[in-house]
Amino acid sequence: MESYETRPANYTIHADSLKKLIMEHPDLPLVIFAGDCANSGDYPFMTCSSITAEVGEVLDCLQEVDSERCYTDRSAFADDLEYNMEEERDRFDGSDAEWEARMERAISEYDPYWKPCIIVCVNN
């Protein structure tokens, strides 16, 4: 064995915050996100040396606001929904207050699909 081979590879990391969250919220599902540096694409699986965990919520439905995005932030979702409805807004023949009420109704349609969870993010 060469001396450089004895250096730590950092495959094992302390996940104390994740363990604590699971113990405090045993009924919450895990939602795991892998960052863009989590896998170089050279191998089917890679270890990750960075982990964060927090209690949050995820929009758990096949929404078409941005079908390539998994939302964990209601405000970001509302902003994107409003952006998608800009053409409709241009054609809308009501007051600003009526438009705001319409937007609130559109956003609230998704309320049942926001699910509490433990969000885990891994990366390198």
Side-chain angles (χ1 to χ4, degrees), residues 72-83:
T72 60
D73 181 305
R74 287 181 186 241
S75 178
F77 176 75
D79 289 346
D80 288 354
L81 179 60
E82 188 167 8
Y83 177 79

Side-chain angles (χ1 to χ4, degrees), residues 19-89:
K19 288 183 237 178
K20 182 180 178 196
L21 287 175
I22 291 171
M23 290 175 62
E24 290 173 351
H25 307 278
D27 296 334
L28 289 183
L30 294 177
V31 175
I32 300 173
F33 292 98
D36 59 351
C37 294
N39 190 319
S40 66
D42 294 335
Y43 307 99
F45 293 95
M46 290 183 71
T47 60
C48 291
S49 58
S50 172
I51 182 173
T52 61
E54 65 182 5
V55 173
E57 59 183 353
V58 65
L59 182 58
D60 191 14
C61 67
L62 298 175
Q63 50 78 26
E64 290 293 323
V65 173
D66 184 343
S67 61
E68 295 182 5
R69 183 169 179 186
C70 182
Y71 287 93
T72 60
D73 181 305
R74 287 181 186 241
S75 178
F77 176 75
D79 289 346
D80 288 354
L81 179 60
E82 188 167 8
Y83 177 79
N84 284 358
M85 294 178 71
E86 278 184 3
E87 284 185 26
E88 185 178 338
R89 172 68 170 117

Side-chain angles (χ1 to χ4, degrees), residues 6-20:
T6 63
R7 292 182 303 174
N10 295 321
Y11 293 149
T12 59
I13 57 172
H14 294 284
D16 296 336
S17 63
L18 176 57
K19 288 183 237 178
K20 182 180 178 196

